[in-house]
């Protein structure tokens, strides 16, 4: 699996699957979640609602991942994953790693060859960027998958630099 970095908007990525930094309600939010629903259109939310009504009555648990259509996005699927909220007092690294592992597992189930990841949990959920980058790159590197390209799409130059460091030092 090739790991690539790109600074830009994840909703513009022409990949098979775009990973959404969702919350457990699956009913939208700000940041990546807001951008994906805004640009992807109502079809995504419609499928999220069906998932809530069928498999995820209490919401998608942290660290898990589930796929829906990508609606109007230039992608085939959105893989929604719920990152952990950062806590200085409790090590939730395994839950953050699980977001990437589970997203790759779902991507393989779909037969996705390319997957775009945001820096999960580093926005509203407050995870320090360098540590999140280390976990993200380390987990994707260590997870066997049929996915051919894992593309980290970073919104800022600082985030991009953090992921570059994680790639080099990993
Ligand atoms: N493309 C790529 N990256 C983006 C984009 C975008 N369009 N918009 C924001 N980001 C970056 C942020 O700068 C941050 O580095 O994605 C990272 C994750 O930030 P959030 O989207 O805030 O996600 P997270 O920290 O995981 O918090 C999830 O926020 O939007 C709500 O509903 C969501 O409750 C959930 C929470």
């Amino acid at each position: 699996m090739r790991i690539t970095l790109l600074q830009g908007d994840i909703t513009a990525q022409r990949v098979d699957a775009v990973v959404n930094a969702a919350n457990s309600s699956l009913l939208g939010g700000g940041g990546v979640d807001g951008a994906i629903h805004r640009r992807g259109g109502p079809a995504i939310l419609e499928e999220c609602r069906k998932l809530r009504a069928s498999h995820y009555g209490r919401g998608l648990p942290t660290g898990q991942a589930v796929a829906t259509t990508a609606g109007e996005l230039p992608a085939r699927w959105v893989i929604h994953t719920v990152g952990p909220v950062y806590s200085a007092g409790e090590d939730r690294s395994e839950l953050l790693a699980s977001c990437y592992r589970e997203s790759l597992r779902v991507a393989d189930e779909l037969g996705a060859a390319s997957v775009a990841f945001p820096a999960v949990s580093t926005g509203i959920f407050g995870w320090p960027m360098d540590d999140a980058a280390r976990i993200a790159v380390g987990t994707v590197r260590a997870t066997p998958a049929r996915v051919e390209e894992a593309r980290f799409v970073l919104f800022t130059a600082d985030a991009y630099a953090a992921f570059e460091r994680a790639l080099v030092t990993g």
Side-chain angles (χ1 to χ4, degrees):
M1 176 194 327
R2 206 159 28 95
I3 295 181
T4 58
L5 304 185
L6 184 142
Q7 186 178 339
D9 182 341
I10 198 163
T11 64
Q13 302 308 309
R14 297 191 166 286
V15 289
D16 289 334
V18 169
V19 173
N20 180 24
N23 62 59
S24 59
S25 79
L26 289 177
L27 301 179
V32 170
D33 203 1
I36 284 176
H37 282 282
R38 211 172 21 256
R39 180 152 177 186
I44 300 175
L45 188 58
E46 230 167 271
E47 278 196 29
C48 287
R49 285 218 172 89
K50 285 188 191 132
L51 286 167
R52 283 298 310 274
S54 55
H55 298 73
Y56 298 101
R58 298 223 308 262
L60 182 66
T62 300
Q64 292 190 23
V66 69
T68 65
T69 175
E72 306 303 312
L73 296 183
R76 292 178 65 185
W77 300 284
V78 172
I79 295 174
H80 306 265
T81 192
V82 181
V85 175
Y86 179 70
S87 158
E90 180 195 342
D91 181 1
R92 297 173 176 169
S93 308
E94 249 321 292
L95 280 171
L96 184 55
S98 172
C99 287
Y100 292 96
R101 206 175 297 123
E102 285 302 299
S103 295
L104 284 172
R105 184 184 58 74
V106 171
D108 273 357
E109 277 175 8
L110 296 167
S114 54
V115 182
F117 289 98
V120 177
S121 288
T122 62
I124 292 166
F125 282 179
W127 205 289
M129 187 60 76
D130 275 325
D131 190 44
R134 180 183 58 77
I135 293 166
V137 171
T139 305
V140 170
R141 263 198 179 125
T143 304
R146 283 198 304 282
V147 166
E148 288 153 29
E149 180 192 2
R151 182 184 306 172
F152 287 107
V153 183
L154 293 323
F155 214 39
T156 65
D158 286 354
Y160 185 92
F163 273 74
E164 233 178 3
R165 283 192 297 275
L167 262 184
V168 166
T169 51

